[in-house]
């Protein structure tokens, strides 16, 4: 997507071929800064500290982290160490494990002298695949938005609600939940997006609103608790969210608060769609509530907020009484029964075991072969 008129992705390799560039997402929307990753530890730190975030981007960054590790030392020992360090950065988004396993499968059988080049190559492929997948998700999702637009009076807007940031910043480009939105906007469909602020880290208010604004998409930022009210008053036509992991039976793990939006959508007959690249499907787990590890993050994310002061400084202030205990669960699970459809690169699927297995038979076959 474009930043200041210039085409940009969320991650790239610098001209020296051995440095990875990323956008520092902790500084948005008030400052646009980039960061150079020159070592595997830099990549691990960037993922852990959420300089970069979003399931598909975490996967791509981890793949590049393996390449940085191989640039420094391509021995078996360092290969193992890099995998162990990167896999421990964040527990919920399955794209991290998927990407690391992809790179590992290529590197393990190779001689150390061949590993660095192979790692850069596979990381670049993973990035390109993500972009192609998201374009495809966009095309399938666009049909859903167009169908709703066709049932409206001329010029009446299609209102879409989204949660967190499943935009181009969360992927390599285009985003998952936002890909249909950008395509609908570019096709001239009248759309408007309600953007959940997404406490505690405010990825909706800081990142999704920033992205949509730069692309010229009409949007309104709302407090996290507003969605139910809007749905009761027929102000939302459909919900589209991203996800960090979808189980074999179609349960959806995503940013905390997604489940409450799905409940409200179900109660009000609002379609609730989840956009995802197939690497986000974890065919090894079934019951998302019981089986997906939910990341618990630093209390400071709850007790304080960052923002721009009147004199232009970015400051962090305390909003909870000192000493009050807080809980900071980063994700929740929406059971498949609350999901209308899963939008992947291969179409829109029912959130069922049978539909997912039929759409991605090679993934199920690979799993069976490994058992
Ligand atoms: O904690 P984050 O910001 O990494 O969480 C991001 C989300 O929950 C996104 O909705 C999800 O990763 C999908 S991104 C295309």
């Amino acid at each position: 997507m474009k930043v200041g008129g210039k085409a940009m992705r969320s991650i790239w390799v610098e001209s020296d071929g051995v440095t990875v560039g990323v956008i520092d997402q902790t500084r948005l929307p008030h400052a646009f800064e980039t960061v150079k990753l020159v070592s595997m530890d830099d990549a691990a730190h960037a993922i852990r500290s959420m300089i970069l975030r979003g399931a598909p981007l975490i996967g791509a960054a981890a793949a590049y982290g393996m390449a940085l590790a191989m640039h420094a030392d391509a021995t078996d020992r360092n290969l193992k160490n890099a995998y162990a360090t990167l896999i421990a950065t964040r527990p919920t988004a399955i794209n991290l494990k998927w990407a690391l396993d992809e790179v590992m499968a290529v590197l393990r059988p190779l001689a150390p002298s061949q590993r660095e080049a192979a790692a850069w190559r596979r990381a670049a492929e993973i990035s390109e695949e993500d972009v192609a997948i998201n374009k495809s998700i966009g095309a399938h999702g666009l049909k859903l938005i167009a169908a709703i637009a066709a049932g409206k009076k001329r010029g009446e807007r299609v209102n879409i609600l989204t949660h967190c940031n499943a935009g181009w910043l969360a992927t390599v480009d285009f985003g998952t939940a936002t890909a249909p939105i950008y395509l609908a906007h570019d096709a001239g469909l009248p759309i408007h997006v309600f953007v959940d602020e997404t406490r505690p880290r405010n990825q909706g208010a800081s990142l999704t609103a920033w992205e949509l604004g730069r692309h010229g998409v009409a949007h309104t930022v709302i407090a996290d608790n507003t969605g139910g009210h809007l749905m009761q008053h027929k102000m939302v036509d459909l919900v589209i969210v991203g996800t960090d992991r979808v189980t074999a039976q179609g349960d959806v793990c995503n940013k905390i608060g997604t489940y409450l939006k799905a409940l409200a959508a179900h109660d009000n007959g609002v379609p609730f769609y989840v956009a995802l690249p197939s690497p986000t499907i974890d065919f090894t787990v079934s019951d998302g509530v019981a089986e997906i590890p939910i990341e618990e993050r630093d209390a400071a994310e709850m007790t304080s907020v960052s923002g721009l002061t009147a004199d232009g400084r970015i400051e962090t202030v305390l909003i909870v009484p000192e000493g009050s205990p807080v809980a900071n669960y980063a994700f929740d699970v929406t059971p498949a029964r609350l999901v209308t459809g899963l939008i992947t690169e291969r179409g829109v699927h029912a959130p069922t075991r049978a539909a997912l297995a039929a759409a991605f038979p090679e993934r199920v076959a690979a799993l069976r072969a490994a058992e």
Side-chain angles (χ1 to χ4, degrees):
M1 305 298 287
K2 287 195 173 152
V3 179
K6 188 178 147 218
M8 265 204 104
R9 287 183 172 179
S10 62
I11 191 163
W12 59 92
V13 179
E14 299 282 355
S15 54
D16 65 4
V18 290
T19 301
V20 177
V22 297
I23 298 166
D24 185 348
Q25 301 193 23
T26 64
R27 304 286 292 165
L28 286 170
H30 304 301
F32 184 84
E33 293 170 11
T34 60
V35 174
K36 288 185 189 338
L37 313 177
V38 299
S39 67
M40 185 275 292
D41 284 330
D42 284 352
H45 169 73
I47 298 170
R48 208 179 298 114
S49 65
M50 293 178 71
I51 286 172
L52 61 90
R53 26 66 52 204
L57 178 57
I58 290 170
Y64 278 119
M66 292 294 277
L68 290 167
M70 294 303 93
H71 175 61
D73 170 5
T75 55
D76 284 358
R77 203 167 130 252
N78 201 40
L79 187 60
K80 261 199 196 152
N81 170 56
Y83 185 100
T85 303
L86 289 162
I87 194 89
T89 49
R90 295 196 66 190
T92 302
I94 196 64
N95 306 58
L96 173 63
K97 180 172 187 306
W98 174 85
L100 288 172
D101 287 346
E102 287 287 310
V103 177
M104 201 59 165
V106 172
L107 302 192
R108 201 187 282 112
L110 296 180
S113 62
Q114 299 175 311
R115 283 179 178 158
E116 182 186 352
W120 287 110
R121 216 168 24 244
R122 188 67 192 113
E125 284 166 4
I126 285 172
S127 294
E128 292 305 327
E129 283 161 19
D130 182 64
V131 177
I133 283 173
N134 296 338
K135 282 187 185 166
S136 210
I137 289 172
H140 294 299
L142 171 62
K143 291 184 211 147
L144 300 171
I145 298 175
I148 294 173
K152 294 222 169 222
K153 290 196 201 97
R154 213 178 137 78
E156 216 184 346
R157 301 196 298 191
V158 176
N159 285 296
I160 303 162
L161 185 141
T162 193
H163 191 70
C164 192
N165 173 259
W168 71 266
L169 289 167
T171 64
V172 177
D173 208 351
F174 297 110
T176 55
T178 55
I181 291 171
Y182 288 131
L183 285 189
H185 172 83
D186 293 350
L189 294 178
I191 58 163
H192 166 262
V193 183
F194 284 112
V195 179
D196 282 350
E197 61 175 348
T198 319
R199 276 285 287 152
R201 290 187 65 98
N202 291 323
Q203 290 96 324
S206 311
L207 305 177
T208 306
W210 182 83
E211 277 192 24
L212 294 178
R214 250 130 214 89
H215 199 75
V217 180
H219 64 281
T220 305
V221 179
I222 51 173
D224 284 328
N225 302 325
T226 310
H229 167 77
L230 296 181
M231 291 183 209
Q232 283 176 327
H233 290 270
K234 313 255 173 278
M235 293 166 74
V236 178
D237 293 298
L238 77 163
V239 178
I240 312 180
V241 298
T243 171
D244 294 82
R245 199 186 299 210
V246 169
T247 72
Q249 68 181 21
D251 293 343
V252 170
C253 182
N254 191 45
K255 182 55 54 190
I256 193 82
T258 302
Y259 172 47
L260 292 177
K261 295 304 139 67
L263 283 172
H266 186 72
D267 196 42
N268 290 284
V270 174
F272 185 93
Y273 287 100
V274 181
L276 63 137
S278 57
T280 303
I281 307 170
D282 183 353
F283 281 100
T284 69
V285 299
S286 288
D287 180 344
V289 175
E291 296 176 66
I292 297 178
I294 300 296
E295 178 177 14
E296 288 182 58
R297 293 187 59 87
D298 197 326
E301 292 182 352
M302 277 302 305
T303 55
S304 45
V305 288
S306 292
L308 198 65
T309 61
D311 59 355
R313 283 170 298 113
I314 296 175
E315 263 202 10
T316 302
V317 295
L318 194 66
I319 58 165
V320 171
E322 272 187 71
S324 280
V326 297
N328 186 9
Y329 296 95
F331 300 95
D332 61 25
V333 173
T334 299
R337 68 186 159 79
L338 299 176
V339 177
T340 308
L342 300 169
I343 311 169
T344 76
E345 68 270 28
R346 293 192 184 165
V348 182
H349 321 287
T352 63
R353 187 180 295 278
L356 284 174
F360 299 98
E362 74 284 7
R363 293 279 307 277
V364 178
L367 194 64
R368 290 216 178 105
E371 276 167 7

